[in-house]
Amino acid sequence: QVQLVESGGGLVQAGGSVRLSCAASGRTFNRYTIGWFRQAPGKEREFVAAINWSGGSTEYADSVKGRFTISRDSAKNTVYLQMNSLKVEDTAVYYCAARVGISYGYWGRGTQVTVSS
């Protein structure tokens, strides 16, 4: 079992930055690929970024490449999402999830990020 808790969301102006954290419990956390997803009002949840167990491999959605950076601190059982040059369209609830096999089986409850113009 892995429990995930997101934090760091809030209200930020367009062009600003926010760093989200995903804190995990569970001894096997460091075995999992961790992903960030987001869901805006009236839209489907979409993939944002992912990082493998070692931190050596990352993946990003085209919409956030060059602006967002995912990283992990295994000693702290935490994965971060640094979001720079934020746009109004980045407004969403952001979720982190742990991938078990080929699917993301563990999810946090999300943190709201609102970008104002």
Side-chain angles (χ1 to χ4, degrees), residues 31-89:
R31 298 180 185 178
Y32 297 120
T33 288
I34 301 296
W36 282 97
F37 295 77
R38 66 186 181 186
Q39 188 167 20
K43 295 187 177 181
E44 294 188 353
R45 186 171 58 196
E46 64 175 357
F47 170 78
V48 176
I51 188 166
N52 75 334
W53 66 273
S54 69
S57 177
T58 57
E59 182 181 0
Y60 296 93
D62 288 342
S63 59
V64 306
K65 279 181 182 176
R67 300 189 298 122
F68 291 10
T69 302
I70 189 171
S71 62
R72 72 190 298 164
D73 185 336
S74 296
K76 295 183 178 180
N77 276 7
T78 301
V79 170
Y80 304 99
L81 185 67
Q82 178 67 43
M83 306 190 296
N84 299 329
S85 302
L86 282 162
K87 304 175 181 179
V88 172
E89 51 264 42

Side-chain angles (χ1 to χ4, degrees), residues 6-49:
E6 304 92 338
S7 62
L11 176 64
V12 62
Q13 286 191 330
S17 298
V18 167
R19 188 177 79 159
L20 304 183
S21 298
C22 172
S25 63
R27 292 178 295 176
T28 59
F29 169 74
N30 291 332
R31 298 180 185 178
Y32 297 120
T33 288
I34 301 296
W36 282 97
F37 295 77
R38 66 186 181 186
Q39 188 167 20
K43 295 187 177 181
E44 294 188 353
R45 186 171 58 196
E46 64 175 357
F47 170 78
V48 176

